[in-house]
Amino acid sequence: MPNVFTTRRIPEIGPNKLREQPGWDVQQWNSDDVIPRDRLLQSIKGCDAVLTLLTERVDAEFLDAAGPQLKVVANLAVGFDNFDVPELTRRGVIGTNTPDVLTDTTADLAFALLIATARMLPQAQKYVKEGKWKTWEPLGFRGQDVHHATLGLVGLGRIGGAMARRGAGFEMKVIYYDAYRRRDLEEQYGYEYRDSVETVLREADFVSLHTPLTAETRHLMNAERLRIMKPTAILINTSRGPVVDMQALYDALKNGTIWAAGLDVTDPEPLPADHPLLTLDNCLVVPHIASASIKTRDDMSELAADNIIAVLNGRAPKTPVNREVVEQKGLR
Ligand code: GLV
């Protein structure tokens, strides 16, 4: 009888599908808080599958605690920097993520951060709530234009591509850097390739980060690169917090090196309420909500469950992160 453990309360659609599988024992950490590590390690003992969040480190310790019965770890996220993929692969455990279903919802939020920071929406709302709105002010809340500005993308994968389409809809010029050049999209939509991150930073009015967190991208946006950006430029990050050096960003925002930043992700997460960045009016921070629409979170829950159901029924999961293990096992 397969044992499955889910590490958090998530939209019911996924857990319900797991519970409908005949004879499955489906357990859950039924809370909105992170499961303590020792409880997690106890709870996954003897499991065939674990449905994880990006808050769980899936490493050798996790895999040892689960034991040799473990066949699949399904992450409720597109990013899987919480996975030690080589270790999963070495042990023949399939890892899965939730790409595609969250692409447009995430890009919507990235674009919302872009407009909100450009047009100073948080500051303006605070002003109204504090009773400071006395008249129409010709000099008040003059932000940056979005339309016809240059949108610089670092990464033109699924979410970067969806962001590019939004930018094009606002008649922005879209430039990008990606290790993998997309000549097809250049031809189809007129996006312009730049051969380095630095060139993008130099030209862009808005820089939006769409890269996974890896050893190479950690602190990609450091003091030196922030200095290359225009003083009127805005940085948007919906990728992973550590892609930006937070101290360097604080200094850049405080000193006027750049104009503003909109962050869905921070380092650390959660960002403590007394963090210096939160004292700055030109930094908009939201709590890692880019994929948080009702439908998308349902779709993520369902996809993670479907991946588990496929593997435990001897079929290939839809979205593996280590396809070689799926092939080794001959799953189709
Ligand atoms: C969330 O950050 C995700 O990777 O889906």
Side-chain angles (χ1 to χ4, degrees):
M1 177 171 86
N3 289 301
V4 182
F5 186 73
T6 300
T7 63
R8 191 80 68 87
R9 242 163 52 85
I10 64 172
E12 272 302 303
I13 184 163
N16 280 344
K17 275 185 114 165
L18 294 170
R19 283 186 217 106
E20 281 162 15
Q21 292 291 304
W24 286 27
D25 181 4
V26 180
Q27 303 293 330
Q28 187 166 22
W29 176 251
N30 203 9
S31 164
D32 296 325
D33 295 327
V34 180
I35 183 169
R37 185 75 177 173
D38 54 341
R39 288 296 294 271
L40 172 70
L41 298 180
Q42 269 168 30
S43 306
I44 61 177
K45 197 172 292 223
C47 275
D48 297 86
V50 185
L51 194 158
T52 51
L53 272 60
L54 45 82
T55 39
E56 278 77 63
R57 257 183 310 108
V58 178
D59 53 8
E61 180 188 50
F62 179 106
L63 298 168
D64 284 342
Q69 213 168 303
L70 186 67
K71 295 170 191 68
V72 55
V73 183
N75 221 27
L76 188 83
V78 64
F80 50 91
D81 45 285
N82 57 315
F83 280 9
D84 181 342
V85 178
E87 193 59 33
L88 280 160
T89 302
R90 200 175 66 73
R91 298 181 189 222
V93 176
I94 297 172
T96 67
N97 65 341
T98 59
D100 303 318
V101 293
L102 48 61
T103 299
D104 285 314
T105 302
T106 301
D108 282 350
L109 193 279
F111 213 81
L113 289 175
L114 187 156
I115 295 182
T117 47
R119 301 300 304 273
M120 308 174 76
L121 299 189
Q123 297 97 310
Q125 189 194 34
K126 185 161 166 253
Y127 189 79
V128 174
K129 284 192 171 178
E130 288 175 352
K132 293 182 177 161
W133 184 15
K134 300 283 189 281
T135 176
W136 186 83
E137 296 176 47
L139 295 177
F141 296 102
R142 291 181 304 158
Q144 304 291 342
D145 275 330
V146 172
H147 65 89
H148 299 99
T150 297
L151 172 60
L153 300 171
V154 179
L156 192 67
R158 297 181 191 89
I159 299 171
M163 187 67 172
R165 293 194 293 278
R166 282 152 181 76
F170 275 72
E171 299 181 77
M172 300 176 91
K173 171 176 166 180
V174 177
I175 63 174
Y176 78 99
Y177 170 77
D178 196 307
Y180 179 68
R181 187 164 175 184
R182 294 295 305 268
R183 289 180 198 273
D184 55 335
L185 299 181
E186 290 171 32
E187 270 163 35
Q188 197 174 348
Y189 298 113
Y191 307 153
E192 294 179 23
Y193 172 73
R194 297 292 181 267
D195 63 5
S196 67
V197 173
E198 283 74 11
T199 319
V200 170
L201 299 180
R202 213 165 278 127
E203 287 182 38
D205 299 306
F206 297 88
V207 172
S208 191
L209 305 175
H210 299 284
T211 166
L213 175 63
T214 63
E216 290 76 47
T217 62
R218 184 173 292 273
H219 285 195
L220 177 84
M221 293 306 298
N222 55 19
E224 205 179 320
R225 290 212 175 88
L226 286 162
R227 224 174 293 124
I228 299 176
M229 291 173 65
K230 299 180 185 178
T232 48
I234 294 176
L235 179 69
I236 304 299
N237 190 11
T238 53
S239 62
R240 282 292 181 266
V243 175
V244 177
D245 175 342
M246 300 288 280
Q247 179 62 45
L249 178 62
Y250 172 80
D251 293 340
L253 290 167
K254 177 108 182 135
N255 302 334
T257 308
I258 66 171
W259 205 71
L263 309 177
D264 180 48
V265 289
T266 59
D267 182 22
E269 278 183 25
L271 195 67
D274 62 356
H275 192 282
L277 265 182
L278 298 177
T279 64
L280 301 177
D281 275 349
N282 57 347
C283 188
L284 168 57
V285 183
V286 295
H288 205 149
I289 58 170
S291 65
S293 75
I294 294 167
K295 173 155 190 331
T296 291
R297 286 284 164 85
D298 278 352
D299 290 348
M300 291 165 68
S301 173
E302 185 169 22
L303 176 56
D306 283 346
N307 280 328
I308 290 176
I309 290 167
V311 174
L312 297 193
N313 284 303
R315 287 183 278 107
K318 202 163 172 188
T319 51
V321 302
N322 51 357
R323 190 170 290 283
E324 59 270 44
V325 181
V326 178
E327 281 161 13
Q328 265 162 28
K329 292 180 184 296
L331 305 185
R332 269 172 232 294

